[in-house]
Amino acid sequence: MVEIVVSFSAESPPLAVIAAARIAGVPLTIDPSLPPASASLFRFSSGIKLQGTNTLLRYLGRVSKLSDFYGKDAIESSQIDEWLEYAPIFSSGPQFEGACMHVDEYLVLRSFLVGYSLSIADIAIWSGLAGTGQRWESLKKSRKFQNLVRWFNSIAEEYSSLNEVTGIYVGKRGLGKSPSTNLPRTSKGNEEPLINGEVNPREKVLPFEVDLPGAKVGEVCLRFAPEPSGFLHIGHTKAALLNQYFAHRYRGRMIIRFDDTNPSKESNEFVENLLLDIETLGIKYDAVTYTSDYFPQLMEMAERLITKGKAYVDATPREQMQKERMDGIESKCRNNKVEENLLLWKEMIVASERGIQCCVRGKLDMQDPNKSLRDPVYYRCNPDPHHRVGSKYKVYPTYDFACPFVDSVEGITHALRSSEYHDRNAQYYRILDDMGLRKVQIYEFSRLNMVYTLLSKRKLLWFVQNGKVEGWDDPRFPTVQGIVRRGLKIEALIQFILQQGASKNINLMEWDKLWTINKKIIDPICPRHTAVIEERRVIFTLINGPEHPFVRVLPRHKKFEGAGNKAATYTNRIWLDYADASSVSEGEEVTLMDWGNAIITEIKKENGSVIHLVGVLHPEGSVKTTKLKLTWLPDTDELISLSLVEFDYLLKKKKLEEGEDFLDNLNSCTRRETAALGDSNMRNLKRGDVIQLERKGYFRCDVPFVRPSKHVVLFAIPDGRQPTSLN
């Protein structure tokens, strides 16, 4: 495939070109680095350049996968050229409404500007209108140009990706006015081309411009350093994406480093799943390293600091030590001689009875108001085998000691840390000074907190170990694998994270916002299916229904051809949800979705409950006149057994106060299964497929069809509007 870079000024992105590329299926790499007033251009991998918006549109028209995108003959191509020349008039303030009137009158009897199909002429004029931002939106509401609005909306509905493109490049004040902050920026070395003309969502960078202090292009090196003691969660995602953003922006390097200094909590399983999650997020990195790679050098450094009198071995019991640190009381071991400290250090290394009672502490300042500087622990004994190096070591460095050392040794220029570590920044710099190592710049960002959610891996582990969840990928967990299993698209997660930016303000975020973004991604493309709740379902007998069942082929999504087709069976006995059957009245006309109208002639009840409906089809009836639009299933043996699973938050409180025990705030009911019947087409669903059950919501297939006796398991996907509470 030919590689094309589209270069332009961030102040005037070529909306029509980017939109046309998306529709034409032509991948582009975005480069908004040209100076103001520069003409947009294509750079081909062969070295050839094309310049000017109309030239680029004509090229896309010729190579498009859409037929007649640049006209079916010379006459249509010439007409298209005329519209391309006309399109810039919409950016001229005084002539805007006059231009709208001209196109409105032209479209009185037309669906497209040229011929009988979409062309680059439509894209040029559509983009010209959309590019004016709020001005066009206001005019649409005025009902002045109904033909123009009809045409504009028709194209937007047919090609929903156009709205995604305008969302990136158009603000309320027009093209490039507000989302200059939203423009995707390219970088050398790790660029990924656009997918069908749009930025690959997994390669999007931050929707704002943020500087790293002292950063130089080509010299920046960053690291994302998770501890392999759990799976990646939504909080880690922010750190990972920020690191990638700065690595891209400054054309630097990014290292994935596993902070594996606690063998009691870590495992290869966690390493493998963290790498899987990083790949899922689309994070590009240059190397994978481990803190354990540096264990020999770290031990040498600890011994050197002991020798220099900048560290000492302390045998104080842990609880007493913690109290002394809080009270600013020096340990009785603080002024031991170097020789005695070295002897105890040797005892620690072999994990002798005396050695395991000791730890190594830095000799910093026990009176400092910042308690992190009150002689922090550098090394502890731990007899547990390490997941990489086995039982080679009996002593392990703490994060506080290992992190600054490895950052400096690996050439990290900027260490990104959440602001919760702010008080430890002084400790980080002091330890580097004592070690005599190159300084590393700390860059802070706010921790991402979510309502009703625990992000502590220690607390999440409690749920796993106590059987409260299925595992780290449980749909109720905030892990990447958990929320993806529940039905979240990675594109939505990335978009949500990037919207938070690099702010240092700590915010408690609502899940609804994330699920709303997700809905906008899945709704335009996910197939539609039908299900009826199994319990108390009601038969509806259609007296004049088909004597013999027949099948029609219907689209799985009326507005997205790519969803494919499904087979719908029509019979004279159909199943309805009890809730629907109990809401109708005799003589009422209802609409049976994907069939037509029917009139209820009889309602049979038993003990006050509806058990059977009788009615007649009324094909002449108008869908517009009915109040109820009912989903239904044929009474056949081909229906699929479903288990519809809904989830609730693990916590019943939005935010736990400091000192509050999460065990006192657990939700009593967090999972509910409902048996249902589904249309026969659902036997073809694969694990991970996302669908919409008409009038029931969105679902992700977790367990596909195996045999009739086994349920297909569908997980309900929140849409950001409906409450999730099961209590």
Side-chain angles (χ1 to χ4, degrees), residues 627-686:
K627 182 177 71 173
L628 297 176
K629 275 70 176 173
L630 308 181
T631 46
W632 55 276
L633 286 174
D635 180 19
T636 69
D637 296 332
E638 298 178 356
L639 300 182
I640 304 298
S641 295
L642 305 176
S643 179
L644 308 182
V645 187
E646 300 169 89
F647 299 100
D648 200 351
Y649 300 114
L650 292 170
L651 296 181
K652 60 185 178 183
K653 192 172 182 181
K654 261 193 172 186
K655 181 185 178 183
L656 297 182
E657 302 302 326
E658 189 172 348
E660 213 171 353
D661 192 342
F662 75 95
L663 294 175
D664 296 330
N665 290 278
L666 298 182
N667 216 337
S668 58
C669 178
T670 61
R671 177 185 174 114
R672 180 171 64 202
E673 295 190 36
T674 303
L677 296 175
D679 65 68
S680 61
N681 301 276
M682 283 194 268
R683 69 176 61 238
N684 298 318
L685 291 178
K686 300 180 180 64

Side-chain angles (χ1 to χ4, degrees), residues 473-722:
D473 66 344
D474 190 282
R476 291 162 289 189
F477 257 20
T479 57
V480 171
Q481 292 186 39
I483 53 183
V484 166
R485 189 176 171 206
R486 191 166 180 180
L488 188 79
K489 292 296 182 182
I490 284 296
E491 292 80 0
L493 175 60
I494 294 174
Q495 196 178 131
F496 173 76
I497 295 293
L498 297 186
Q499 285 179 5
Q500 314 312 313
S503 167
K504 297 179 184 180
N505 298 322
I506 298 175
N507 295 313
L508 187 64
M509 302 302 299
E510 297 281 349
W511 282 98
D512 285 352
K513 185 174 181 181
L514 175 57
W515 292 115
T516 297
I517 295 171
N518 192 61
K519 178 188 174 183
K520 291 178 181 178
I521 291 172
I522 63 176
D523 182 73
I525 59 173
C526 71
R528 273 51 172 169
H529 288 275
T530 304
V532 168
I533 303 302
E534 194 163 4
E535 185 179 8
R536 303 177 74 187
R537 66 191 187 279
V538 175
I539 277 288
F540 183 11
T541 300
L542 298 165
I543 297 172
N544 61 341
E547 187 176 340
H548 301 289
F550 68 90
V551 176
R552 284 180 184 161
V553 176
L554 303 174
R556 294 173 81 200
H557 190 307
K558 291 182 174 66
K559 295 182 179 179
F560 179 57
E561 191 176 330
N565 296 321
K566 62 183 178 182
T569 301
Y570 296 80
T571 61
N572 57 15
R573 283 167 52 89
I574 60 176
W575 289 111
L576 299 181
D577 279 319
Y578 178 81
D580 286 341
S582 60
S583 64
V584 302
S585 54
E586 286 190 9
E588 182 177 4
E589 186 166 358
V590 299
T591 296
L592 301 175
M593 292 176 64
D594 289 328
W595 195 344
N597 285 6
I599 298 173
I600 312 296
T601 59
E602 184 181 358
I603 299 176
K604 298 181 180 181
K605 294 185 178 182
E606 189 174 280
N607 298 325
S609 298
V610 177
I611 60 169
H612 193 180
L613 296 180
V614 180
V616 293
L617 290 170
H618 185 225
E620 300 82 12
S622 171
V623 175
K624 296 179 181 179
T625 63
T626 58
K627 182 177 71 173
L628 297 176
K629 275 70 176 173
L630 308 181
T631 46
W632 55 276
L633 286 174
D635 180 19
T636 69
D637 296 332
E638 298 178 356
L639 300 182
I640 304 298
S641 295
L642 305 176
S643 179
L644 308 182
V645 187
E646 300 169 89
F647 299 100
D648 200 351
Y649 300 114
L650 292 170
L651 296 181
K652 60 185 178 183
K653 192 172 182 181
K654 261 193 172 186
K655 181 185 178 183
L656 297 182
E657 302 302 326
E658 189 172 348
E660 213 171 353
D661 192 342
F662 75 95
L663 294 175
D664 296 330
N665 290 278
L666 298 182
N667 216 337
S668 58
C669 178
T670 61
R671 177 185 174 114
R672 180 171 64 202
E673 295 190 36
T674 303
L677 296 175
D679 65 68
S680 61
N681 301 276
M682 283 194 268
R683 69 176 61 238
N684 298 318
L685 291 178
K686 300 180 180 64
R687 190 171 195 265
D689 283 354
V690 172
I691 63 171
Q692 183 186 55
L693 294 180
E694 299 277 12
R695 298 175 61 234
K696 286 182 173 58
Y698 304 94
F699 291 81
R700 178 189 177 275
C701 179
D702 191 64
V703 179
F705 180 82
V706 178
R707 55 182 179 272
S709 59
K710 294 266 295 182
H711 285 77
V712 171
V713 179
L714 302 178
F715 286 171
I717 305 173
D719 62 6
R721 295 186 304 169
Q722 298 173 347

Side-chain angles (χ1 to χ4, degrees), residues 175-368:
L175 190 62
K177 298 290 172 62
S178 151
S180 57
T181 54
N182 287 344
L183 293 183
R185 298 182 181 274
T186 190
S187 65
K188 291 184 179 179
N190 287 328
E191 308 105 315
E192 287 292 324
L194 281 73
I195 298 177
N196 293 333
E198 188 199 34
V199 180
N200 181 346
R202 303 188 188 190
E203 288 299 314
K204 280 182 182 174
V205 293
L206 294 176
F208 49 81
E209 192 86 11
V210 182
D211 294 321
L212 272 181
K216 295 180 181 179
V217 175
E219 298 180 13
V220 168
C221 184
L222 303 121
R223 48 71 170 163
F224 174 54
E227 180 187 4
S229 57
F231 285 29
L232 207 67
H233 62 55
I234 191 169
H236 300 128
T237 302
K238 181 174 182 178
L241 290 170
L242 280 172
N243 274 286
Q244 174 162 266
Y245 162 71
F246 287 123
H248 275 221
R249 181 175 173 200
Y250 290 100
R251 302 177 188 174
R253 300 179 68 244
M254 178 172 166
I255 294 171
I256 302 296
R257 183 202 306 149
F258 289 103
D259 176 37
D260 54 345
T261 59
N262 188 346
S264 301
K265 296 181 179 180
E266 299 154 1
S267 70
N268 285 321
E269 176 197 1
F270 291 137
V271 170
E272 292 166 2
N273 279 282
L274 285 166
L275 286 172
L276 175 64
D277 295 336
I278 289 167
E279 181 182 355
T280 299
L281 289 171
I283 301 294
K284 304 292 182 182
Y285 52 87
D286 295 278
V288 174
T289 65
Y290 298 80
T291 298
S292 56
D293 294 336
Y294 302 91
F295 279 174
Q297 297 97 309
L298 283 161
M299 291 183 68
E300 289 175 11
M301 178 57 73
E303 190 163 323
R304 189 182 310 162
L305 293 178
I306 293 172
T307 302
K308 290 182 176 182
K310 294 184 177 182
Y312 61 97
V313 178
D314 194 353
T316 305
R318 180 173 294 197
E319 288 186 7
Q320 181 183 338
M321 185 190 303
Q322 289 174 345
K323 186 177 187 306
E324 289 177 350
R325 286 192 71 195
M326 292 298 294
D327 297 338
I329 300 172
E330 292 186 0
S331 166
K332 63 182 181 181
C333 302
R334 195 173 198 269
N335 296 312
N336 285 347
K337 292 182 179 180
V338 169
E339 292 76 17
E340 185 178 352
N341 284 325
L342 288 174
L343 284 174
L344 288 174
W345 169 240
K346 302 298 183 188
E347 295 287 333
M348 286 181 64
I349 290 174
V350 297
S352 68
E353 185 176 347
R354 174 68 173 150
I356 60 175
Q357 298 173 4
C358 301
C359 67
V360 177
R361 294 176 69 182
K363 189 181 286 188
L364 304 187
D365 186 350
M366 283 299 293
Q367 273 67 54
D368 198 294

Side-chain angles (χ1 to χ4, degrees), residues 72 76 112 114-118:
K72 67 179 181 181
E76 285 194 359
F112 302 100
V114 177
Y116 299 97
S117 61
L118 186 79

